[in-house]
Amino acid sequence: QVQLAESGGGLVQAGDSLRLSCAHSGRAFSRYALGWFRQAPGKEREFVASITRSGDVTYYGDSVKGRFTVSRDNAKNTMYLQMNSLKPEDTAVYYCAAGSTGSLRVSLRSENQYSYWGQGTQVTVSS
């Protein structure tokens, strides 16, 4: 069973940084490709970043490229999202997700490719 829990959200000012964590409490963390999504009030959920099982291939949504970095530590069963140069438009609930893949280097970038989701953590960026 896969259980994901996000942490690290909060209220920051524009230009600040935050690091989100996504901890997995079950087994076989390394068997899953992982991703981050976000949902702002009144908007659809948006792809933010993904990382393969191997951890060496990452993808980012256009709005966060160059500012956010996704990483994972399979030994700690944890994925991270380092967010720099935050903007008010980054304000959203951030969700981590896990999806099964047979390949170490396949990236999942669509919501329907993920089977497991965390509860979300709120990030608010003030101007």
Side-chain angles (χ1 to χ4, degrees):
Q1 186 176 0
V2 178
Q3 291 183 320
L4 303 173
E6 304 92 340
S7 61
L11 172 63
V12 297
Q13 294 186 330
D16 286 350
S17 298
L18 271 179
R19 188 176 80 157
L20 304 183
S21 297
C22 174
H24 166 47
S25 61
R27 297 182 177 179
F29 182 72
S30 62
R31 292 184 184 178
Y32 298 93
L34 304 171
W36 287 99
F37 290 78
R38 69 186 182 185
Q39 189 167 21
K43 295 188 177 181
E44 294 187 350
R45 193 148 53 182
E46 173 190 18
F47 170 75
V48 174
S50 65
I51 187 166
T52 56
R53 288 175 55 193
S54 59
D56 61 345
V57 180
T58 57
Y59 287 96
Y60 298 92
D62 289 341
S63 60
V64 306
K65 279 180 185 176
R67 300 187 298 121
F68 291 12
T69 302
V70 60
S71 61
R72 66 188 295 168
D73 185 338
N74 287 341
K76 294 183 178 180
N77 283 5
T78 303
M79 173 178 63
Y80 304 97
L81 184 68
Q82 178 65 44
M83 306 186 294
N84 298 330
S85 302
L86 283 162
K87 304 175 181 180
E89 51 264 43
D90 294 318
T91 295
V93 177
Y94 284 71
Y95 299 90
C96 64
S100 299
T101 66
S103 170
L104 287 173
R105 305 186 84 242
V106 166
S107 177
L108 307 179
R109 280 170 277 178
S110 176
E111 274 189 67
N112 59 15
Q113 294 178 299
Y114 289 92
S115 300
Y116 305 100
W117 294 82
Q119 293 298 309
T121 185
Q122 176 70 47
V123 172
T124 304
V125 185
S126 64
S127 58

